[in-house]
């Protein structure tokens, strides 16, 4: 198996690796997930429902900005309707859902989503929520997924080009996991990364990003032009 310099496995997938569709055998947890979102984040204003689904039916729950939380929050449901194919030795990580937080001025509506510059975070939520079921694999803490190989910026307005999955920084630890009688669902937030940050993670491990995240106050809320925590500051002056 191919591994990174940090020792983490590297998986590569193509269209030939996709699974044939199999209906979810698990009961939908949408109601419980909705309650979980409203308990720990806020009132759900709208759910963007899929019309056509493959593998699993992915809905996206939208919590609007408030004075206390001045940003949009989007959370999936449906990813956890099927267990993921976790490797041997990885336990209690078979079920997950994803979230992303967007700036207060981000345009969110069915009409706005016709513009890819507004829609790409939602596209990535849905893509990643379906990904482990399409390729018989799994997603979990610290996993990084590039936008192509080599990774390309998500949009012309940013140089961010991959994402890392981490527990939410903004929301309390009680949001991180939803315990149900038949399964435990982990919630991960999507933190977009620059190429240099992805390279650092692959070389040394995800923990080496955290000091930079703290220094530059990187949070769940997407900032298209935030500082690149993997770039060293240039020193000017006499030597």
């Amino acid at each position: 198996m191919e591994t990174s310099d940090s020792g983490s496995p590297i998986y590569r997938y193509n269209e030939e690796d996709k699974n044939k569709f199999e209906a979810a055998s698990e009961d939908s947890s949408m109601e419980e997930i909705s309650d979980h979102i409203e308990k720990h984040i806020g009132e759900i204003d709208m759910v963007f429902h899929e019309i056509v689904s493959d593998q699993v039916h992915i809905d996206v729950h939208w919590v609007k900005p408030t004075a206390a939380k001045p940003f949009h929050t989007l959370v999936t449901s449906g990813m956890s309707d099927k267990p993921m194919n976790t490797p041997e030795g990885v336990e209690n990580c078979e079920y997950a859902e994803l979230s992303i937080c967007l700036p207060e001025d981000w345009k969110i509506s069915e009409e706005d989503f016709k513009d890819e510059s507004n829609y790409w975070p939602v596209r990535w939520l849905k893509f990643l929520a379906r990904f482990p079921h399409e390729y018989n694999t799994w997603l979990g803490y610290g996993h990084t997924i590039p936008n192509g190989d080599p990774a390309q910026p998500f949009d012309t307005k940013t140089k961010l080009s991959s994402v890392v999955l981490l527990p939410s920084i903004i929301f309390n630890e009680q949001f991180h996991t939803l315990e149900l009688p038949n399964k435990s669902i982990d919630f991960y937030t999507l933190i977009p990364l620059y190429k240099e940050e992805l390279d650092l993670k692959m070389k040394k491990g995800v923990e080496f990003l955290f000091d930079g995240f703290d220094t530059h106050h990187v949070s769940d809320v997407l900032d298209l032009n935030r500082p690149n925590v993997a770039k060293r500051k240039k020193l000017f002056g006499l030597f």
Side-chain angles (χ1 to χ4, degrees):
M1 176 184 292
E2 185 180 359
T3 60
S4 67
D5 291 344
S6 68
S8 300
I10 298 175
Y11 301 96
R12 300 184 188 277
Y13 304 92
N14 55 49
E15 289 297 310
E16 296 177 356
D17 298 320
K18 278 191 174 183
N19 291 328
K20 293 182 180 179
F21 172 76
E22 293 183 7
S25 58
E26 299 286 330
D27 292 332
S28 172
S29 303
M30 180 178 176
E31 184 174 344
E32 290 87 349
I33 291 170
S34 297
D35 291 343
H36 187 69
I37 294 169
E38 296 206 323
K39 179 178 180 181
H40 297 290
I41 299 178
E43 181 181 355
I44 295 170
D45 185 77
M46 181 184 295
V47 178
F48 296 100
H49 294 280
E50 281 193 328
I51 298 174
V52 179
S53 301
D54 184 17
Q55 297 294 337
V56 284
H57 179 89
I58 305 299
D59 290 326
V60 177
H61 304 252
W62 175 27
V63 179
K64 283 186 173 182
T66 64
K69 298 183 178 75
F71 48 83
H72 302 274
T73 306
L74 302 172
V75 188
T76 66
S77 67
M79 181 180 180
S80 60
D81 285 354
K82 285 184 179 181
M84 296 183 288
N85 181 26
T86 53
E88 185 176 352
V90 176
E91 299 180 355
N92 301 320
C93 295
E94 295 89 354
Y95 300 95
E97 297 290 350
L98 307 175
S99 69
I100 194 168
C101 296
L102 303 176
E104 189 172 12
D105 61 356
W106 199 275
K107 296 179 180 179
I108 295 184
S109 72
E110 294 284 2
E111 185 65 26
D112 292 325
F113 286 163
K114 293 178 181 179
D115 183 346
E116 185 65 19
S117 292
N118 299 323
Y119 186 62
W120 71 261
V122 182
R123 183 183 300 284
W124 268 76
L125 277 179
K126 293 162 73 72
F127 163 66
L128 292 179
R130 188 171 284 109
F131 181 85
H133 305 301
E134 285 189 328
Y135 292 97
N136 197 32
T137 185
W138 72 298
L139 293 175
Y141 171 85
H143 286 188
T144 46
I145 306 92
N147 182 32
D149 186 11
Q152 300 297 315
F154 293 112
D155 188 69
T156 57
K157 298 177 181 178
T158 185
K159 293 184 178 179
L160 296 164
S161 58
S162 61
V163 297
V164 61
L165 304 187
L166 294 172
S168 172
I169 300 168
I170 289 178
F171 305 120
N172 60 42
E173 291 186 7
Q174 286 71 36
F175 174 66
H176 293 175
T177 305
L178 170 58
E179 298 287 352
L180 298 176
N182 61 332
K183 58 187 171 185
S184 177
I185 303 174
D186 295 314
F187 288 78
Y188 299 103
T189 190
L190 273 58
I191 304 292
L193 301 177
Y194 293 105
K195 177 186 182 298
E196 295 81 5
E197 294 171 341
L198 175 63
D199 292 344
L200 176 62
K201 184 267 183 180
M202 298 301 289
K203 185 175 182 179
K204 295 188 175 181
V206 68
E207 289 78 11
F208 278 80
L209 293 172
F210 294 160
D211 285 346
F213 282 180
D214 289 342
T215 299
H216 295 285
H217 308 291
V218 176
S219 73
D220 296 22
V221 182
L222 175 65
D223 181 348
L224 294 175
N225 298 295
R226 68 169 175 79
N228 185 330
V229 306
K231 279 191 173 181
R232 296 180 178 274
K233 292 183 178 179
K234 294 181 180 179
L235 300 178
F236 296 90
L238 298 176
F239 293 89

